[in-house]
Amino acid sequence: MPKADGADEALNRVNPHSRPSDLRITDMRVAEIIGAPFTSALIKIYTNQGIVGLGEVRDGASATYALMLKSRLLGENPCDIDRLFRRIKQFGGHGRQGGGVSAVEIALWDLAGKAYGVPIYQMLGGRFRDKVRVYCDTDATVPSGTATGKRLKERMDLGFTFLKMDLGLMQIADVPGAVVFPAGSLEGYRDSPRRGPLKTIEERRLRNAAYDLHNVPHPFTGLHFSDKGLDLLEQYIAEVREVIGMDVPLAIDHIGHISMQNGIRLARRIEKYVPAWLEDVIPWQYTEQYRQLQDATTIPICTGEDIYLKEGFEPLLKSGGVSVIHPDLLTSGGILETKKIGDMAQDHGVAMAIHMAESPIAAMAAAHVATATENFMALEYHSADVDWWDDIVTGLSRPLVKDGFITVPDKPGLGIDDVVDEVISQHLQPGVTGIWQPTDRWDDEYSWDRTWS
Ligand SMILES: [Mg+2]
């Protein structure tokens, strides 16, 4: 698939990795998959020397965010990672909009590592640890804390030493008297916007309406926990701790679209169960509310999976509103940016956990940063129940997550040999007809995108 001329191909057979100065980007293609555990797009960046860089567009994001960058990269030397990152970073944004820039940045690091024969963590400054602690996220959709505790205990029996679960509106929304809410307002949250191709105008209107509803910021929903609701949530985590014990760290996520004041009320109720952190209680943009939230509880307050670039984290860190940051490499801007974010957090006495909910490509990118960043705490793993997750790639130890840790190999780049097409072909997103299909339509995408005059 790489577009190389005959002379280049002949040289490639002699030693494909010997001329990094002459390495050039020739193509970018994607494979849009589902179920590993959510949706994501694997990307390949091809070169004139036969080596291919792997990246991944964030869970839930569109592959378009990466493909629209292709024309800005063709003909460039992928080893100029920072220069190219600075060229394309204006095309990323917070949340899923950071997915394309971040995917490309990771693929460039993979290519540079392969070109020079060096693992990425080494290029970042070397090891702080021999293995990367992984925390196992477990959706707590069941109404019983005891049942969720048993699921978490099974994770511990697999070797996991750090856990996360949901605690909030989802457990009590259907219990009469547990949530104070404007009449009818809870109904909409039960439906998420539909994925995949839609047929009618009305279906499209409904998807957009659901999108709008799910985008109402927490302070504006009018939802509150009642004392009964708080009793139930306290009972839930008490039951979980009863099963898993007090020794193992347990982080809390998905509290629901409630206000900062409700977050404080919940936090004070569950402090005695010593959560590792409370995650995304309110939108990360409300810096001053984060400071009030952290000031009001002894539980470490955490956010960051939707923040793009180092400068997005800076106000929160300066405010003292967070005790743990939680960037996702596929939103933050990729590998080097997350290393910088971690180091900046360390200067503020703040730990870094890493959010990750995609394939082994994203996991390895995160694991390299975790290996090379001193204040790293734990890396998310959301695929403990996906039995084909390890089959997506070749060249890594199997299982990649073993006894609750990832061991980063000394192999060049991410350390992945290849993607297994037969496996990912069985898990394509709705409406997707194939993998690594030609993307020529993006070759000439261009506009005068200077952001100043
Ligand atoms: Mg989260």
Side-chain angles (χ1 to χ4, degrees):
M1 258 181 254
K3 297 168 184 170
D5 62 38
D8 266 339
E9 281 180 350
L11 280 169
N12 288 343
R13 283 193 290 275
V14 178
N15 188 343
H17 302 164
S18 67
R19 293 170 291 111
S21 299
D22 298 327
L23 197 60
R24 295 288 181 267
I25 294 171
T26 57
D27 202 356
M28 181 202 294
R29 300 187 180 202
V30 303
E32 297 160 277
I33 63 170
I34 188 167
F38 305 121
T39 62
S40 63
L42 316 183
I43 76 162
K44 287 184 177 180
I45 293 183
Y46 301 84
T47 66
N48 60 339
Q49 294 179 24
I51 56 175
V52 175
L54 299 173
E56 186 163 6
V57 183
R58 181 159 171 197
D59 75 279
S62 166
T64 301
Y65 291 133
L67 292 169
M68 63 182 271
L69 305 172
K70 181 184 178 187
S71 62
R72 279 93 177 181
L73 299 165
L74 291 175
E76 294 288 351
N77 187 330
C79 300
D80 298 346
I81 301 166
D82 201 14
R83 182 175 66 82
L84 296 178
F85 172 72
R86 290 174 199 225
R87 176 186 292 170
I88 63 176
K89 70 188 252 189
Q90 67 162 305
F91 301 108
H94 300 302
R96 272 65 192 181
Q97 295 171 36
V101 172
S102 302
V104 166
E105 200 262 7
I106 289 166
L108 298 180
W109 276 99
D110 191 34
L111 281 167
K114 286 170 173 167
Y116 286 98
V118 184
I120 290 169
Y121 75 79
Q122 188 58 56
M123 293 188 279
L124 295 176
R127 286 186 188 274
F128 281 96
R129 52 192 55 83
D130 292 330
K131 51 185 189 172
V132 173
R133 189 184 306 277
V134 168
Y135 78 81
C136 192
D137 197 6
T138 303
D139 299 325
T141 48
V142 293
S144 151
T146 302
T148 294
K150 286 177 180 166
R151 288 190 69 206
L152 291 169
K153 186 70 170 60
E154 289 169 15
R155 311 295 204 202
M156 293 168 68
D157 293 342
L158 290 172
F160 288 101
T161 60
F162 206 118
L163 306 168
K164 187 167 94 176
M165 70 167 198
D166 306 323
L167 187 73
L169 272 180
M170 73 171 69
Q171 283 99 350
I172 59 172
D174 293 325
V175 180
V179 181
V180 183
F181 62 98
S185 64
L186 279 176
E187 295 308 313
Y189 293 108
R190 296 195 167 92
D191 293 318
S192 291
R194 280 180 57 188
R195 293 198 163 277
L198 300 178
K199 291 197 176 68
T200 68
I201 286 288
E202 180 60 10
E203 284 177 337
R204 294 179 189 284
R205 190 191 69 78
L206 288 172
R207 177 159 73 183
N208 286 331
Y211 172 87
D212 286 346
L213 183 68
H214 283 264
N215 275 273
V216 175
H218 301 43
F220 315 142
T221 62
L223 303 176
H224 300 270
F225 297 134
S226 70
D227 275 355
K228 179 180 177 180
L230 290 171
D231 288 344
L232 290 169
L233 293 173
E234 184 178 346
Q235 180 189 340
Y236 196 98
I237 188 171
E239 289 175 11
V240 169
R241 277 295 192 198
E242 185 71 28
V243 179
I244 66 172
M246 281 302 296
D247 295 347
V248 64
L250 173 66
I252 302 293
D253 194 10
H254 293 139
I255 290 126
H257 285 203
I258 51 135
S259 65
M260 176 265 292
Q261 292 85 353
N262 280 276
I264 291 172
R265 292 174 72 220
L266 176 64
R268 289 178 173 165
R269 282 291 194 99
I270 64 173
E271 278 176 355
K272 55 177 157 305
Y273 304 101
V274 196
W277 67 69
L278 272 189
E279 179 174 328
D280 290 331
V281 176
I282 47 175
W284 62 268
Q285 289 90 342
Y286 299 129
T287 308
E288 174 59 19
Q289 291 194 22
Y290 261 92
R291 190 193 58 74
Q292 293 176 48
L293 178 62
Q294 183 62 90
D295 283 352
T297 178
T298 57
I299 301 175
I301 295 300
C302 170
T303 189
E305 68 183 67
D306 296 312
I307 303 178
Y308 181 57
L309 302 178
K310 183 181 163 207
E311 49 260 46
F313 284 87
E314 198 167 1
L316 273 168
L317 290 166
K318 282 185 171 166
S319 77
V322 286
S323 297
V324 178
I325 53 157
H326 193 225
D328 187 313
L329 264 75
L330 305 196
T331 281
S332 65
I335 286 171
L336 182 58
E337 195 72 2
T338 307
K339 163 69 174 160
K340 291 179 180 177
I341 289 164
D343 287 347
M344 179 174 65
Q346 182 168 0
D347 290 343
H348 288 85
V350 169
M352 179 167 75
I354 298 180
H355 180 265
M356 194 281 297
E358 298 90 5
S359 84
I361 296 173
M364 286 309 298
H368 280 276
V369 172
T371 296
T373 308
E374 188 173 13
N375 62 336
F376 166 76
M377 183 183 282
L379 163 63
E380 177 166 349
Y381 177 54
H382 214 109
S383 307
D385 302 319
V386 180
D387 61 7
W388 52 279
W389 192 79
D390 282 293
D391 302 334
I392 294 170
V393 296
T394 57
L396 298 175
S397 57
R398 293 170 61 96
L400 178 59
V401 179
K402 189 169 188 302
D403 299 329
F405 288 86
I406 292 175
T407 301
V408 178
D410 282 328
K411 295 167 63 179
L414 291 169
I416 297 168
D417 288 350
D418 208 349
V419 178
V420 182
D421 291 350
E422 300 74 44
V423 173
I424 59 175
S425 295
Q426 293 167 19
H427 302 278
L428 300 184
Q429 292 177 26
V432 173
T433 56
I435 58 175
W436 317 127
Q437 292 176 325
T439 55
D440 299 357
R441 62 171 287 231
W442 294 100
D443 290 2
D444 298 310
E445 172 72 17
Y446 191 76
S447 71
W448 186 241
D449 288 311
R450 193 171 66 184
T451 55
W452 44 272
S453 289

